[in-house]
Amino acid sequence: MSITLKQVNKKSADYKKIKELYKKAFPANERAPFFVLSSKAKKPNVDFWGIYSDKKWAGLMYVVNEADLSYIFYFAVSETERGKGFGSGASQAAKDKYAGQKIFLSIEQLDEEAENYDQRVKRKQFYERNGFKDLNMKLKEASVTYDLFGIGGTVDAKEYERLMGKYLGKLLSKLITMKIIK
């Protein structure tokens, strides 16, 4: 299966599907307003991708870049396409696209009390199968604490702060807590 990543904007044929998937795939307390994502995607250091196999749309990936860092901020495959290799294909496409970069992402912590514990375990296993390593670091974004996984090296707190500062801008950086914690 050949997976391609295509830039997303309001004129994209699958824009509405991408927006719907974003709202379904991420809990409200874990997502930024979609209009903010779309607006920020116009920045040169942000890639908002639709995931495709041939012309078939399968998901989304949102990546924020700075220096040698590429942060996969959001990544989701459509429910109807899960388990068919689209996620692994998109993961490989991202590794190819950002080769030489430290690629990292955050996942919900494994909390046995969480409603979606089984989903969290499967998500962790998926990333491990696709070459991501547990960085043994925590990331606090707004009210949620995540585990960090990556490829190509660790990410230090200052690098992450620079990346998100550039992405968010001065005002949002002051309003939203986004930092690596020990």
Side-chain angles (χ1 to χ4, degrees), residues 110-117 120:
L110 295 186
D111 174 1
E112 291 181 11
E113 302 298 315
E115 270 182 36
N116 67 339
Y117 176 73
R120 292 178 185 204

Side-chain angles (χ1 to χ4, degrees), residues 24-74:
K24 277 185 180 177
F26 302 98
N29 67 329
E30 295 183 25
R31 55 176 199 254
F34 195 78
F35 77 89
V36 172
L37 294 184
S38 294
S39 173
K40 297 277 186 196
K42 295 173 187 168
K43 291 180 153 205
N45 66 321
V46 178
D47 295 314
F48 194 178
W49 302 113
I51 300 167
Y52 291 85
S53 177
D54 296 318
K55 293 184 181 193
K56 182 177 183 149
W57 171 78
L60 68 89
M61 184 180 291
Y62 192 91
V63 184
V64 180
N65 304 284
E66 172 62 19
D68 68 341
L69 294 180
S70 292
Y71 177 33
I72 301 176
F73 204 3
Y74 294 104

Side-chain angles (χ1 to χ4, degrees), residues 88-181:
S88 292
S91 177
Q92 185 59 53
K95 288 186 274 186
D96 294 344
K97 170 82 177 154
Y98 303 107
Q101 297 283 95
K102 292 187 281 188
I103 304 168
F104 70 107
L105 51 83
S106 59
I107 65 169
E108 294 170 304
Q109 294 183 299
L110 295 186
D111 174 1
E112 291 181 11
E113 302 298 315
E115 270 182 36
N116 67 339
Y117 176 73
D118 291 340
Q119 181 186 52
R120 292 178 185 204
V121 170
K122 287 178 184 172
R123 190 175 293 129
K124 180 181 183 224
Q125 292 169 341
F126 166 81
Y127 287 118
E128 289 174 334
R129 274 194 317 275
N130 284 282
F132 287 83
K133 306 281 186 235
D134 188 339
L135 298 178
N136 296 311
M137 302 170 82
K138 306 285 183 215
L139 176 64
K140 183 158 178 73
E141 290 185 344
S143 64
V144 183
T145 301
Y146 301 93
D147 290 328
L148 281 181
F149 279 71
I151 294 173
T154 61
V155 179
D156 73 39
K158 290 289 183 201
E159 288 177 307
Y160 176 77
E161 190 177 304
R162 239 184 343 270
L163 176 135
M164 291 314 293
K166 186 172 181 181
Y167 174 73
L168 292 171
K170 288 181 182 179
L171 178 62
L172 286 178
S173 289
K174 290 180 195 283
L175 297 175
I176 302 169
T177 300
M178 298 184 89
K179 64 183 179 179
I180 290 178
I181 57 176

